[in-house]
Amino acid sequence: MRTPFILFALLMGCEAPSGPLRDWQAHPVFATQNNVPARIWVLSDIHGGFDRLVTLLKAASLIDAQNNWTGGNFAGGSGGGSGGGSANAGGDHLYVLGDVIDKSTGGLKCLELLQGLQQQAQMSKGLVVVTLGNHEAEFLADPNNDKAVPFVEELKAKGLKPLEVASGKGIGAWMRDLPVGIKNGDWFFSHAGNTEGLTLEALTQKIQSGVDKNQFDTKALLSADSILEAQQWWANGTDSVALIDRNLAAIGATHFVFGHDPAAFGKRGSTGEKLMGRLFSLDVGMSPAVNDSEGALLLIERTSSSVTASVMLPNGSKSLLYRE
Ligand SMILES: [Mn+2]
């Protein structure tokens, strides 16, 4: 009896995560909002920095002392309705562009906080969207990958089995349904930003068929030039405005907002803007394990006459980055 048991255990140990096929109707690749809100707050690459996340959200008045959603509502927002995430124009939007986990422990707490805020925001005409980062996709593809050690430690400390979570148990079910990007008006948000010159329809098709075939262990998400992994994709030695504009035109946008690379524009620890608002880089290395900074939020504000993008720091100070 013993040998088959050991063989079975070995096989189980090598097993890849396997969850249910994703319902793409309920959980599309890209979250699209057609009603543009007055304020969009964006951050990325929290990497377990729970206390720093809480400080930032408080500075932005998005949560109260008990960490409950207090994002504002705006008169004139259309609100109401329930059509596919397009009917939340009345309240603040908060977008988190992936890599919530790994590097520091605290990623699980961050995910749980954001999941709760998502439910609360929905009830007050706000919207919280968390997109996949490469770290989440890599965990879902292989919870034994080297980078996942801090997150796996956290799961085990709570009595959770990493393979089961990656297969869709508990928070894993929510993680497996996260969108890969967000399009809101002419702004496009994703972890690394490389849409490869494809239309959103073509990119959707590519990612859906990759995940349907290989779950999260798919090149569509994990190859070095993917929308979750690419670095410096806008440059080929020098910045390529033609390439960026081609990519923007293909998805019907004028701004790319992404995280993933703390040295994207050469200067670590600060939110970057490049090429007249075409590119915004948000990985400020806020994880205690990275510690380039204590974090920053990008705030996109619309009035009837202008659109501005500002940076808000944990102390609540706000500085203008871009205006159109
Ligand atoms: Mn990343």
Side-chain angles (χ1 to χ4, degrees), residues 195-261:
T195 54
E196 304 176 77
L198 300 173
T199 63
L200 281 193
E201 291 71 26
L203 204 47
T204 296
Q205 200 50 52
K206 176 178 169 171
I207 292 169
Q208 276 187 202
S209 56
V211 172
D212 282 346
K213 191 159 169 244
N214 295 315
Q215 304 239 334
F216 284 84
D217 194 7
T218 171
K219 284 183 181 167
L221 296 176
L222 299 184
S223 75
D225 60 354
S226 76
I227 189 167
L228 302 187
E229 295 272 12
Q231 295 190 336
Q232 306 288 319
W233 52 267
W234 61 89
N236 195 355
T238 55
D239 296 336
S240 174
V241 173
L243 175 127
I244 298 162
D245 284 345
R246 184 199 64 174
N247 287 10
L248 284 167
I251 61 166
T254 50
H255 310 280
F256 281 120
V257 184
F258 53 85
H260 183 54
D261 182 358

Side-chain angles (χ1 to χ4, degrees), residues 26-246:
H27 304 286
V29 175
F30 295 108
T32 306
Q33 278 89 48
N34 299 316
N35 294 347
V36 175
R39 290 201 302 226
I40 302 173
W41 303 86
V42 202
L43 82 165
S44 190
D45 295 83
I46 300 165
H47 281 307
F50 179 78
D51 293 342
R52 291 174 176 186
L53 169 64
V54 166
T55 300
L56 275 175
L57 298 180
K58 284 181 180 163
S61 299
L62 290 174
I63 60 172
D64 64 16
Q66 285 73 46
N67 296 347
N68 289 311
W69 179 258
T70 51
N73 292 324
F74 302 97
S78 58
S82 59
S86 64
N88 296 291
D92 277 300
H93 285 197
L94 169 65
Y95 302 159
V96 179
L97 306 185
D99 280 9
V100 177
I101 62 170
D102 297 346
K103 296 195 191 284
S104 295
T105 51
L108 179 58
K109 279 169 76 180
C110 292
L111 289 174
E112 288 170 344
L113 173 65
L114 292 167
Q115 186 190 25
L117 293 178
Q118 184 171 67
Q119 290 165 358
Q120 293 175 350
Q122 223 147 23
M123 291 186 289
S124 66
K125 297 180 183 174
L127 186 67
V128 175
V129 184
V130 179
T131 68
L132 280 172
N134 60 298
H135 280 259
E136 285 82 21
E138 287 174 49
F139 169 79
L140 294 170
D142 174 14
N144 295 312
N145 83 74
D146 292 348
K147 297 176 189 171
V149 170
F151 185 53
V152 161
E153 266 177 29
E154 241 180 314
L155 293 173
K156 286 182 173 168
K158 291 191 84 175
L160 301 166
K161 294 193 174 73
L163 183 63
E164 290 182 2
V165 173
S167 300
K169 194 174 176 188
I171 196 80
W174 185 74
M175 292 174 76
R176 291 175 65 92
D177 285 339
L178 293 177
V180 171
I182 305 162
K183 179 140 187 296
N184 188 320
D186 49 12
W187 293 75
F188 183 77
F189 307 83
S190 65
H191 184 61
N194 188 17
T195 54
E196 304 176 77
L198 300 173
T199 63
L200 281 193
E201 291 71 26
L203 204 47
T204 296
Q205 200 50 52
K206 176 178 169 171
I207 292 169
Q208 276 187 202
S209 56
V211 172
D212 282 346
K213 191 159 169 244
N214 295 315
Q215 304 239 334
F216 284 84
D217 194 7
T218 171
K219 284 183 181 167
L221 296 176
L222 299 184
S223 75
D225 60 354
S226 76
I227 189 167
L228 302 187
E229 295 272 12
Q231 295 190 336
Q232 306 288 319
W233 52 267
W234 61 89
N236 195 355
T238 55
D239 296 336
S240 174
V241 173
L243 175 127
I244 298 162
D245 284 345
R246 184 199 64 174

Side-chain angles (χ1 to χ4, degrees), residues 272-297:
E273 178 273 329
K274 222 181 213 278
L275 302 170
M276 298 175 70
R278 287 175 175 87
L279 304 178
F280 290 83
S281 147
L282 303 195
D283 182 356
V284 295
M286 70 178 277
S287 168
V290 181
N291 213 26
D292 289 332
S293 78
E294 295 191 3
L297 282 158

